[in-house]
Structure formats: C-alpha cells, structure tokens
Amino acid sequence: MAHRGNSAAAPENTLAAFRRAIDDGADIIETDLHLTRDGVFVCIHDATLDRTTDGHGAVADLTLAEIKRYSASYGRPEFAAERVPALGELTAILPPDVVLALELKTDRFLERGVAPRLIDQLRADGVFDRVIVLSFGLERIQAVQRAAPEIPIGFITLTRLTPSVPAQMIGPFWPLLAVNPLYTWWAHRRGMLIAPLDPWPNGRLWLYRLLRCDAILTNDPAGTMKKLGRTLKS
C-alpha cells in the first residue's frame, strides 16, 4: 500500500507520487481526502496548505481554483509544477488492477450529503468496486458505509489494543502488535484484514510476514517491493 503515493521519491499526495507508486507496482494507492470550499474532494493530508505547498490557509476555506494556484512541491524545485490533485485526477490515472484507499481527514464527511456525494463520484469514476475508506474517526467511515453498505471500511488506531471495531480492516500503529502478539490472529478470527500503520516498514517485514499481515503500508513502494523480492512493473 503506497502511503500518499511514493512519498519517498516525490512530494506526498501529488500525481507525481501516485504515478511513481503505480510504476513501482503498488497494489494499493493510499491518499488523504479533504473538501474544498466549493465541495471538491482533494488529495491532501493536512487541513491547511502550509506544510506541503507554497500557499497558506485552510483547505475548507479555499476553492479548488484557489488551491491550484500553489505549488505542491513540498519545497522540492524539480516538482514545482505539481499541484494538489482533485480526487478525480487520481481516479483518472488509476489502473484497473489497483485498489484505492481513501483516508477521510475531516468531520465534513459527517455533514448531510457529503458521504453520498463521495459514493456517487466513485461510481461515476468507475472505481467504486476497488475502494476502501479509512479513518482514525470511526464515525466518518461509518457515514460512508451508511451511504453504500457494500463499501469496505478500515479503522486506523494509535492506541486500541484489540481489533474490536465494526470494520472490514484495521490499521494498528505497529508497536501495538508487539504489545499484543495475537492482534493479527484476533483480527482474522473476526474476519478482518490487517495493515499495520508503519510508513517505513522494511526493517519489520519479517515480523509482518510472521504475523501474516494482509497489507504493508510504505512511503517507498519500490524499496519495499525489492525487500519483499517482488519484481517492479517498470
């Protein structure tokens, strides 16, 4: 699972990072979702532009056109032309055999009509049947699942010591697996998939294989693929 695309080789959550992750052979592209003032779903981690772009201000206070004025290069001159992508720009380049993981970063997904609109866009873009929605906020993903009961949801946690949540996948912060070595077994007993929250996993791949984790999150898909002994697509 490519965390914000290949965020080691290109600025996170940009089309450059997503394309690189696809070329690396990632099975899943993970990105973060916020909403602009004019209601467009955009791929950016933070609630503001300040960290990853040369702009300032809250995503929710700006229109897509206003956000597009700023470079999303994350201070890397060779990526000056990159912009914060709308979700539709990512779905347009997503190959048919790659899954899309959408982390919902705002409580705006609890607002009336937002979750159904996300579902409508995913259907219109032709990717609905290969999407999982993720969040640290259980209510956010449940709102989406109420709009489309068949869509799988994944709960991310820094502290929960057991996989006792109503979700199809769980992403525990990786030290929790050491505190509770039965975490993966327990998740599988509940019919859940498990993907540890560990953006730099290469030194612990042996552990994730031993525990039979279902997916590996990584900032560097190419490096992790090599470590796993998998051939890159290009």
Side-chain angles (χ1 to χ4, degrees):
M1 183 188 302
H3 186 228
R4 309 177 196 174
N6 186 325
S7 51
E12 64 179 64
N13 283 323
T14 60
L15 292 180
F18 299 142
R19 288 190 176 104
R20 176 63 182 266
I22 290 166
D23 289 344
D24 290 341
D27 303 297
I28 306 168
I29 301 296
E30 186 269 350
T31 190
D32 307 289
L33 281 192
H34 278 276
L35 278 84
T36 64
R37 192 179 76 202
D38 49 344
V40 180
F41 301 107
V42 288
C43 303
I44 185 171
H45 179 275
D46 297 0
T48 70
L49 302 182
D50 299 51
R51 180 177 65 89
T52 58
T53 82
D54 59 359
H56 301 283
V59 175
D61 293 339
L62 300 167
T63 66
L64 179 64
E66 289 169 335
I67 291 171
K68 289 287 189 181
R69 296 173 187 168
Y70 302 110
S71 171
S73 68
Y74 205 178
R76 300 170 66 172
E78 68 272 31
F79 293 102
E82 292 297 319
R83 296 294 184 267
V84 173
L87 174 60
E89 295 176 79
L90 171 54
T91 60
I93 65 169
L94 194 72
D97 59 343
V98 174
V99 172
L100 182 59
L102 302 174
E103 185 180 341
L104 313 183
K105 300 300 290 189
T106 170
D107 281 345
R108 292 190 64 191
F109 286 96
L110 303 179
E111 295 175 6
R112 182 181 178 88
V114 172
R117 191 155 52 78
L118 174 62
I119 294 299
D120 288 346
Q121 178 171 342
L122 296 174
R123 292 189 193 278
D125 291 353
V127 299
F128 174 80
D129 60 350
R130 49 199 170 96
V131 168
I132 181 169
V133 290
L134 314 172
S135 185
F136 286 92
L138 188 59
E139 290 183 351
R140 297 172 189 170
I141 53 178
Q142 288 176 328
V144 174
Q145 199 169 59
R146 282 195 296 272
E150 66 271 39
I151 198 166
I153 58 176
F155 180 67
I156 312 167
T157 179
L158 297 175
T159 59
R160 189 178 288 265
L161 287 172
T162 66
S164 53
V165 289
Q168 285 70 56
M169 189 176 86
I170 192 158
F173 185 37
W174 71 265
L176 295 175
L177 301 183
V179 176
N180 179 4
L182 296 179
Y183 210 113
T184 301
W185 173 85
W186 196 339
H188 288 164
R189 287 274 294 184
R190 292 176 57 88
M192 302 169 71
L193 301 177
I194 187 166
L197 177 58
D198 185 0
W200 299 102
N202 290 2
R204 287 171 289 276
L205 291 178
W206 66 271
L207 174 64
Y208 301 144
R209 280 175 152 164
L210 178 66
L211 295 177
R212 302 182 67 185
C213 294
D214 299 289
I216 301 298
L217 186 73
T218 178
N219 286 342
D220 179 15
T224 301
M225 293 277 283
K226 183 177 180 180
K227 192 83 172 177
L228 288 169
R230 291 179 55 178
T231 303
L232 305 187
K233 291 181 180 178
S234 62

